[in-house]
Coordinates of all heavy atoms in Angstrom, one line a residue:
G62 N 17.3 -3.0 -24.6 CA 16.4 -1.8 -24.8 C 15.7 -1.4 -23.5 O 16.1 -1.8 -22.4
T63 N 14.7 -0.6 -23.7 CA 14.0 0.0 -22.5 C 12.7 -0.9 -22.3 O 12.0 -1.2 -23.2 CB 13.6 1.4 -22.8 OG1 14.8 2.2 -23.0 CG2 12.8 2.0 -21.5
R64 N 12.5 -1.3 -21.0 CA 11.4 -2.1 -20.7 C 11.0 -1.8 -19.3 O 11.6 -1.1 -18.5 CB 11.8 -3.6 -20.8 CG 12.9 -4.0 -19.9 CD 13.2 -5.5 -19.9 NE 13.8 -5.9 -21.2 CZ 14.2 -7.1 -21.4 NH1 14.2 -8.0 -20.4 NH2 14.7 -7.5 -22.6
V65 N 9.8 -2.4 -18.9 CA 9.3 -2.3 -17.5 C 9.8 -3.5 -16.7 O 9.7 -4.6 -17.2 CB 7.8 -2.3 -17.5 CG1 7.2 -2.2 -16.1 CG2 7.2 -1.0 -18.3
V66 N 10.5 -3.2 -15.6 CA 11.1 -4.2 -14.8 C 10.4 -4.3 -13.4 O 10.2 -3.3 -12.8 CB 12.6 -3.9 -14.6 CG1 13.3 -4.9 -13.7 CG2 13.3 -3.9 -16.0
P67 N 10.1 -5.5 -13.0 CA 9.6 -5.6 -11.6 C 10.6 -5.2 -10.6 O 11.8 -5.7 -10.6 CB 9.2 -7.1 -11.5 CG 10.1 -7.8 -12.5 CD 10.2 -6.8 -13.6
L68 N 10.2 -4.4 -9.6 CA 11.2 -3.9 -8.7 C 11.7 -4.9 -7.7 O 12.9 -4.8 -7.3 CB 10.5 -2.7 -7.9 CG 10.5 -1.4 -8.5 CD1 9.5 -0.4 -7.8 CD2 11.9 -0.8 -8.6
D69 N 10.9 -6.0 -7.4 CA 11.5 -7.0 -6.5 C 12.5 -7.9 -7.2 O 13.1 -8.7 -6.5 CB 10.3 -7.8 -5.9 CG 9.5 -8.6 -7.0 OD1 9.9 -8.5 -8.2 OD2 8.6 -9.3 -6.6
A70 N 12.7 -7.7 -8.5 CA 13.8 -8.4 -9.2 C 15.1 -7.7 -9.2 O 16.1 -8.2 -9.6 CB 13.4 -8.8 -10.6
V71 N 15.1 -6.4 -8.8 CA 16.3 -5.5 -8.7 C 16.9 -5.8 -7.3 O 16.4 -5.3 -6.3 CB 15.9 -4.1 -8.9 CG1 17.2 -3.2 -8.9 CG2 15.1 -3.9 -10.2
V72 N 18.0 -6.6 -7.3 CA 18.6 -7.0 -6.0 C 20.1 -6.7 -5.9 O 20.7 -7.1 -4.9 CB 18.3 -8.5 -5.8 CG1 16.8 -8.8 -5.6 CG2 18.9 -9.3 -7.0
G73 N 20.6 -6.1 -6.9 CA 22.1 -5.9 -6.9 C 22.5 -4.6 -7.4 O 21.7 -3.7 -7.9
T74 N 23.8 -4.4 -7.4 CA 24.4 -3.1 -7.8 C 25.7 -3.3 -8.6 O 26.4 -4.3 -8.3 CB 24.8 -2.2 -6.5 OG1 25.4 -1.0 -7.0 CG2 25.7 -2.9 -5.6
V75 N 26.0 -2.4 -9.5 CA 27.2 -2.6 -10.3 C 28.4 -2.0 -9.5 O 29.5 -2.7 -9.5 CB 27.1 -1.8 -11.6 CG1 28.4 -1.8 -12.3 CG2 26.0 -2.5 -12.5
D76 N 28.3 -0.9 -8.8 CA 29.4 -0.3 -8.2 C 29.1 0.4 -6.9 O 29.9 1.2 -6.4 CB 30.1 0.7 -9.1 CG 29.2 1.8 -9.6 OD1 28.0 1.8 -9.1 OD2 29.5 2.5 -10.5
R77 N 28.0 0.1 -6.3 CA 27.6 0.8 -5.0 C 27.2 -0.2 -4.0 O 26.0 -0.5 -3.8 CB 26.5 1.8 -5.2 CG 26.2 2.7 -4.0 CD 25.2 3.8 -4.3 NE 25.1 4.7 -3.2 CZ 25.0 6.0 -3.2 NH1 25.1 6.5 -4.4 NH2 24.9 6.7 -2.2
T78 N 28.1 -0.8 -3.2 CA 27.8 -1.8 -2.3 C 27.4 -1.2 -0.9 O 27.0 -2.0 0.0 CB 29.0 -2.7 -2.1 OG1 30.2 -2.0 -1.7 CG2 29.3 -3.5 -3.3
R79 N 27.6 0.1 -0.7 CA 27.1 0.8 0.5 C 26.0 1.7 0.2 O 25.9 2.3 -0.9 CB 28.3 1.5 1.1 CG 29.4 0.7 1.7 CD 30.4 1.5 2.4 NE 29.9 2.1 3.6 CZ 29.6 3.4 3.8 NH1 29.7 4.2 2.7 NH2 29.1 3.8 4.9
G80 N 25.1 1.9 1.1 CA 24.0 2.8 0.9 C 22.6 2.2 0.9 O 21.7 2.8 1.4
F81 N 22.5 1.0 0.4 CA 21.2 0.3 0.3 C 21.4 -1.2 0.5 O 22.5 -1.8 0.2 CB 20.6 0.5 -1.1 CG 20.4 2.0 -1.5 CD1 21.4 2.7 -2.2 CD2 19.3 2.7 -1.0 CE1 21.2 4.0 -2.5 CE2 19.2 4.0 -1.3 CZ 20.1 4.7 -2.1
D82 N 20.4 -1.9 1.0 CA 20.4 -3.3 1.1 C 19.8 -3.9 -0.2 O 19.4 -3.2 -1.1 CB 19.7 -3.8 2.3 CG 18.2 -3.6 2.3 OD1 17.7 -3.0 1.4 OD2 17.5 -4.1 3.2
R83 N 19.6 -5.2 -0.3 CA 19.1 -5.8 -1.5 C 17.6 -5.5 -1.8 O 17.2 -5.6 -2.9 CB 19.3 -7.3 -1.5 CG 18.4 -8.1 -0.5 CD 18.6 -9.6 -0.6 NE 18.1 -10.2 -1.8 CZ 18.8 -10.9 -2.7 NH1 20.1 -11.2 -2.4 NH2 18.2 -11.4 -3.8
H84 N 16.9 -5.0 -0.8 CA 15.6 -4.5 -1.0 C 15.5 -3.0 -1.2 O 14.5 -2.4 -1.3 CB 14.7 -4.8 0.2 CG 14.7 -6.3 0.5 ND1 14.0 -7.2 -0.3 CD2 15.3 -7.0 1.5 CE1 14.2 -8.4 0.2 NE2 15.0 -8.3 1.3
F85 N 16.7 -2.4 -1.4 CA 16.9 -1.0 -1.6 C 16.3 -0.1 -0.6 O 15.9 1.0 -0.8 CB 16.5 -0.6 -3.0 CG 17.5 -1.0 -4.1 CD1 17.5 -2.3 -4.6 CD2 18.4 -0.1 -4.5 CE1 18.5 -2.7 -5.5 CE2 19.4 -0.5 -5.4 CZ 19.4 -1.8 -5.9
R86 N 16.4 -0.6 0.7 CA 16.1 0.3 1.8 C 17.4 1.0 2.2 O 18.5 0.4 2.2 CB 15.6 -0.5 3.0 CG 14.3 -1.2 2.7 CD 13.9 -2.2 3.8 NE 14.8 -3.3 3.9 CZ 14.5 -4.6 4.3 NH1 13.2 -4.8 4.6 NH2 15.4 -5.5 4.4
P87 N 17.4 2.3 2.5 CA 18.6 3.0 2.8 C 19.3 2.5 4.1 O 18.6 2.4 5.1 CB 18.1 4.5 2.9 CG 16.7 4.4 3.2 CD 16.2 3.2 2.5
T88 N 20.6 2.2 4.0 CA 21.3 1.7 5.2 C 22.1 2.7 5.9 O 22.7 2.4 6.9 CB 22.2 0.5 4.7 OG1 23.2 1.1 3.7 CG2 21.4 -0.6 4.1
T89 N 22.1 4.0 5.4 CA 22.9 5.0 6.0 C 22.2 6.4 5.8 O 21.6 6.6 4.7 CB 24.3 5.1 5.4 OG1 25.0 6.2 5.8 CG2 24.3 5.1 3.8
P90 N 22.4 7.3 6.7 CA 21.8 8.6 6.5 C 22.5 9.4 5.4 O 22.0 10.5 5.0 CB 22.0 9.3 7.9 CG 22.3 8.2 8.9 CD 22.9 7.1 8.1
E91 N 23.6 9.0 5.0 CA 24.4 9.7 3.9 C 23.6 9.9 2.7 O 23.9 10.8 1.9 CB 25.7 9.0 3.7 CG 26.7 9.0 4.9 CD 27.9 8.2 4.6 OE1 28.1 7.7 3.5 OE2 28.7 8.0 5.5
V92 N 22.7 9.0 2.4 CA 21.9 9.0 1.1 C 20.7 9.9 1.3 O 19.9 10.0 0.3 CB 21.6 7.6 0.6 CG1 22.8 6.8 0.4 CG2 20.6 6.9 1.5
R93 N 20.4 10.4 2.5 CA 19.1 11.0 2.8 C 18.8 12.2 1.9 O 17.7 12.4 1.3 CB 19.1 11.4 4.2 CG 17.7 12.1 4.6 CD 17.6 12.2 6.1 NE 16.3 12.8 6.5 CZ 15.8 12.8 7.7 NH1 16.5 12.4 8.7 NH2 14.6 13.3 7.9
A94 N 19.7 13.2 1.7 CA 19.4 14.4 1.0 C 19.0 14.1 -0.4 O 17.9 14.7 -0.8 CB 20.7 15.3 1.0
R95 N 19.7 13.4 -1.1 CA 19.3 13.1 -2.5 C 18.1 12.2 -2.6 O 17.2 12.4 -3.4 CB 20.5 12.4 -3.3 CG 20.2 12.2 -4.7 CD 21.4 11.5 -5.4 NE 21.2 11.3 -6.8 CZ 22.0 10.7 -7.6 NH1 23.2 10.2 -7.2 NH2 21.7 10.5 -8.9
W96 N 18.0 11.3 -1.6 CA 16.8 10.4 -1.6 C 15.5 11.2 -1.4 O 14.5 11.0 -2.1 CB 17.0 9.4 -0.4 CG 16.1 8.2 -0.4 CD1 16.4 7.0 -0.8 CD2 14.7 8.1 0.0 NE1 15.4 6.1 -0.6 CE2 14.3 6.8 -0.1 CE3 13.8 9.1 0.5 CZ2 13.0 6.3 0.2 CZ3 12.5 8.6 0.8 CH2 12.1 7.3 0.6
E97 N 15.6 12.2 -0.5 CA 14.4 13.0 -0.3 C 14.1 14.0 -1.4 O 12.9 14.2 -1.7 CB 14.5 13.8 1.1 CG 14.5 12.9 2.3 CD 14.6 13.6 3.6 OE1 14.8 14.9 3.5 OE2 14.6 13.0 4.7
R98 N 15.1 14.4 -2.1 CA 14.8 15.3 -3.3 C 14.1 14.5 -4.4 O 13.1 15.0 -5.0 CB 16.2 15.8 -3.8 CG 16.8 16.9 -3.0 CD 17.8 17.7 -3.9 NE 18.9 16.9 -4.4 CZ 20.0 16.6 -3.7 NH1 20.2 17.1 -2.5 NH2 20.9 15.8 -4.2
I99 N 14.5 13.3 -4.6 CA 13.9 12.4 -5.6 C 12.4 12.1 -5.1 O 11.5 12.1 -5.9 CB 14.7 11.2 -5.9 CG1 16.0 11.6 -6.6 CG2 13.9 10.2 -6.7 CD1 17.0 10.4 -6.8
A100 N 12.3 11.7 -3.9 CA 11.0 11.4 -3.3 C 10.0 12.6 -3.4 O 8.8 12.4 -3.8 CB 11.1 11.0 -1.9
T101 N 10.5 13.8 -3.2 CA 9.7 15.0 -3.3 C 9.2 15.2 -4.7 O 8.0 15.4 -5.0 CB 10.5 16.2 -2.8 OG1 10.8 16.1 -1.5 CG2 9.6 17.5 -3.0
A102 N 10.2 15.0 -5.7 CA 9.8 15.1 -7.1 C 8.8 14.1 -7.5 O 7.9 14.4 -8.3 CB 11.1 15.1 -7.9
M103 N 9.0 12.9 -7.1 CA 8.1 11.8 -7.5 C 6.7 12.0 -6.9 O 5.6 11.8 -7.5 CB 8.6 10.4 -7.1 CG 9.9 10.1 -7.9 SD 10.6 8.4 -7.4 CE 9.3 7.4 -8.0
R104 N 6.6 12.5 -5.7 CA 5.3 12.8 -5.0 C 4.6 14.0 -5.8 O 3.4 14.0 -5.8 CB 5.5 13.1 -3.6 CG 5.6 11.9 -2.7 CD 5.6 12.2 -1.2 NE 5.5 11.1 -0.4 CZ 4.3 10.5 0.0 NH1 3.2 11.1 -0.5 NH2 4.2 9.5 0.8
R105 N 5.4 14.9 -6.4 CA 4.8 16.0 -7.1 C 4.3 15.5 -8.5 O 3.8 16.3 -9.3 CB 5.8 17.1 -7.2 CG 6.0 17.8 -5.9 CD 7.1 18.9 -6.0 NE 7.2 19.6 -4.8 CZ 8.3 20.4 -4.5 NH1 9.3 20.5 -5.3 NH2 8.3 21.1 -3.3
G106 N 4.6 14.3 -8.9 CA 4.2 13.8 -10.2 C 5.2 14.1 -11.3 O 4.9 13.9 -12.5
E107 N 6.5 14.5 -10.9 CA 7.5 14.7 -11.9 C 7.9 13.4 -12.6 O 8.1 12.4 -11.9 CB 8.7 15.5 -11.3 CG 8.3 16.8 -10.8 CD 9.5 17.6 -10.2 OE1 10.6 17.2 -10.5 OE2 9.3 18.5 -9.4
E108 N 8.2 13.4 -13.9 CA 8.6 12.2 -14.6 C 10.1 12.0 -14.3 O 10.9 12.9 -14.4 CB 8.3 12.4 -16.1 CG 8.6 11.1 -16.9 CD 8.2 11.3 -18.3 OE1 7.6 12.3 -18.7 OE2 8.5 10.4 -19.1
M109 N 10.4 10.7 -14.0 CA 11.8 10.3 -13.8 C 12.3 9.6 -15.0 O 11.6 8.8 -15.7 CB 11.8 9.3 -12.6 CG 11.5 9.9 -11.3 SD 12.8 11.0 -10.7 CE 11.9 12.6 -10.8
P110 N 13.6 9.8 -15.4 CA 14.2 9.1 -16.5 C 14.3 7.6 -16.1 O 14.4 7.2 -15.0 CB 15.5 9.7 -16.7 CG 15.9 10.3 -15.3 CD 14.6 10.7 -14.7
P111 N 14.4 6.7 -17.1 CA 14.6 5.3 -16.9 C 15.9 5.1 -16.1 O 16.9 5.8 -16.4 CB 14.6 4.6 -18.2 CG 13.9 5.6 -19.1 CD 14.2 7.0 -18.6
V112 N 15.9 4.1 -15.2 CA 17.2 3.7 -14.6 C 17.9 2.8 -15.5 O 17.4 2.3 -16.5 CB 16.9 3.0 -13.2 CG1 16.2 3.9 -12.2 CG2 16.1 1.7 -13.5
D113 N 19.2 2.6 -15.2 CA 20.1 1.8 -16.1 C 20.4 0.5 -15.3 O 21.0 0.6 -14.3 CB 21.4 2.6 -16.4 CG 22.1 2.1 -17.6 OD1 21.7 1.1 -18.2 OD2 23.1 2.7 -18.0
L114 N 20.0 -0.6 -15.9 CA 20.2 -1.9 -15.2 C 20.9 -2.9 -16.1 O 20.9 -2.9 -17.3 CB 18.8 -2.5 -14.9 CG 17.8 -1.7 -14.1 CD1 16.5 -2.4 -13.9 CD2 18.4 -1.2 -12.7
Y115 N 21.6 -3.8 -15.4 CA 22.1 -5.0 -16.0 C 21.2 -6.2 -15.6 O 20.8 -6.3 -14.4 CB 23.5 -5.3 -15.5 CG 24.6 -4.6 -16.3 CD1 25.2 -3.5 -15.7 CD2 25.0 -4.9 -17.6 CE1 26.2 -2.8 -16.4 CE2 26.0 -4.2 -18.2 CZ 26.6 -3.2 -17.6 OH 27.6 -2.5 -18.3
K116 N 20.9 -7.1 -16.5 CA 20.1 -8.3 -16.2 C 21.0 -9.5 -16.3 O 21.6 -9.8 -17.3 CB 19.0 -8.4 -17.2 CG 18.0 -9.6 -16.9 CD 16.9 -9.6 -17.9 CE 15.9 -10.7 -17.6 NZ 16.5 -12.1 -17.9
V117 N 21.0 -10.3 -15.2 CA 21.8 -11.5 -15.2 C 20.8 -12.6 -14.7 O 20.4 -12.7 -13.6 CB 23.0 -11.5 -14.2 CG1 23.8 -12.8 -14.3 CG2 23.9 -10.3 -14.6
G118 N 20.5 -13.5 -15.6 CA 19.4 -14.5 -15.3 C 18.1 -13.8 -15.0 O 17.6 -13.0 -15.8
E119 N 17.6 -14.0 -13.8 CA 16.3 -13.4 -13.4 C 16.6 -12.2 -12.5 O 15.6 -11.5 -12.0 CB 15.4 -14.4 -12.6 CG 15.0 -15.6 -13.5 CD 14.2 -16.6 -12.7 OE1 14.0 -16.3 -11.5 OE2 13.8 -17.6 -13.2
A120 N 17.9 -11.9 -12.2 CA 18.2 -10.8 -11.3 C 18.7 -9.5 -12.1 O 19.3 -9.6 -13.1 CB 19.3 -11.2 -10.3
Y121 N 18.4 -8.4 -11.5 CA 18.8 -7.1 -12.1 C 19.7 -6.4 -11.2 O 19.6 -6.4 -9.9 CB 17.6 -6.2 -12.4 CG 16.7 -6.7 -13.5 CD1 15.7 -7.7 -13.3 CD2 16.8 -6.3 -14.8 CE1 14.9 -8.1 -14.3 CE2 16.0 -6.7 -15.8 CZ 15.0 -7.7 -15.6 OH 14.2 -8.1 -16.6
F122 N 20.7 -5.6 -11.8 CA 21.7 -4.9 -11.0 C 21.7 -3.5 -11.5 O 21.7 -3.2 -12.7 CB 23.1 -5.5 -11.2 CG 23.2 -7.0 -10.8 CD1 22.6 -8.0 -11.5 CD2 23.8 -7.3 -9.6 CE1 22.7 -9.3 -11.1 CE2 23.9 -8.6 -9.1 CZ 23.4 -9.6 -9.9
V123 N 21.7 -2.5 -10.5 CA 21.6 -1.1 -10.9 C 23.0 -0.6 -11.2 O 24.0 -0.7 -10.5 CB 21.1 -0.3 -9.7 CG1 21.0 1.2 -10.0 CG2 19.7 -0.8 -9.3
K124 N 23.1 0.0 -12.4 CA 24.3 0.7 -12.9 C 24.1 2.2 -12.5 O 25.0 2.9 -12.0 CB 24.5 0.5 -14.4 CG 25.7 1.3 -14.9 CD 25.9 1.0 -16.4 CE 27.1 1.8 -16.9 NZ 27.3 1.6 -18.4
D125 N 22.9 2.7 -12.8 CA 22.6 4.1 -12.5 C 21.1 4.2 -12.1 O 20.2 3.7 -12.8 CB 22.8 5.0 -13.7 CG 22.5 6.5 -13.4 OD1 23.1 7.1 -12.5 OD2 21.6 7.0 -14.0
G126 N 20.9 4.8 -10.9 CA 19.5 5.0 -10.5 C 19.1 4.3 -9.2 O 18.0 4.0 -8.9
H127 N 20.2 4.2 -8.3 CA 19.9 3.5 -7.0 C 18.9 4.2 -6.2 O 18.0 3.6 -5.6 CB 21.2 3.5 -6.2 CG 22.3 2.6 -6.8 ND1 23.1 3.0 -7.9 CD2 22.7 1.4 -6.5 CE1 23.9 2.1 -8.2 NE2 23.7 1.0 -7.4
H128 N 18.9 5.6 -6.1 CA 18.0 6.3 -5.3 C 16.6 6.2 -5.9 O 15.6 6.1 -5.2 CB 18.4 7.8 -5.2 CG 19.6 8.0 -4.4 ND1 20.9 7.7 -4.9 CD2 19.8 8.5 -3.2 CE1 21.8 8.1 -4.0 NE2 21.2 8.5 -3.0
R129 N 16.5 6.2 -7.2 CA 15.1 6.1 -7.9 C 14.5 4.8 -7.6 O 13.3 4.7 -7.3 CB 15.3 6.4 -9.4 CG 15.3 7.8 -9.8 CD 15.7 8.0 -11.2 NE 17.1 7.9 -11.4 CZ 17.7 7.6 -12.6 NH1 17.0 7.5 -13.7 NH2 19.0 7.6 -12.7
V130 N 15.3 3.7 -7.6 CA 14.8 2.4 -7.3 C 14.4 2.3 -5.8 O 13.3 1.8 -5.5 CB 15.9 1.3 -7.5 CG1 15.4 -0.1 -7.0 CG2 16.2 1.2 -9.0
S131 N 15.2 2.9 -4.9 CA 14.8 2.9 -3.5 C 13.6 3.7 -3.2 O 12.7 3.2 -2.5 CB 16.0 3.5 -2.7 OG 15.7 3.5 -1.3
V132 N 13.4 4.9 -3.8 CA 12.2 5.7 -3.6 C 11.0 5.0 -4.2 O 9.9 5.0 -3.5 CB 12.4 7.1 -4.2 CG1 11.1 7.9 -4.1 CG2 13.5 7.8 -3.4

Side-chain angles (χ1 to χ4, degrees):
T63 301
R64 61 175 66 173
V65 176
V66 173
L68 279 165
D69 61 359
V71 183
V72 294
T74 179
V75 172
D76 57 7
R77 186 176 188 136
T78 55
R79 293 184 67 255
F81 303 95
D82 71 352
R83 70 178 288 127
H84 305 288
F85 281 83
R86 296 171 296 209
T88 60
T89 171
E91 295 174 3
V92 302
R93 180 170 184 169
R95 185 176 179 186
W96 197 102
E97 290 182 358
R98 285 198 302 271
I99 292 174
T101 300
M103 292 180 68
R104 277 187 169 275
R105 288 174 176 165
E107 297 180 19
E108 186 175 351
M109 293 287 112
V112 296
D113 199 357
L114 306 178
Y115 279 103
K116 181 178 185 290
V117 182
E119 298 177 0
Y121 290 85
F122 298 76
V123 179
K124 180 180 180 182
D125 179 62
H127 295 78
H128 292 76
R129 279 169 280 163
V130 170
S131 179
V132 172

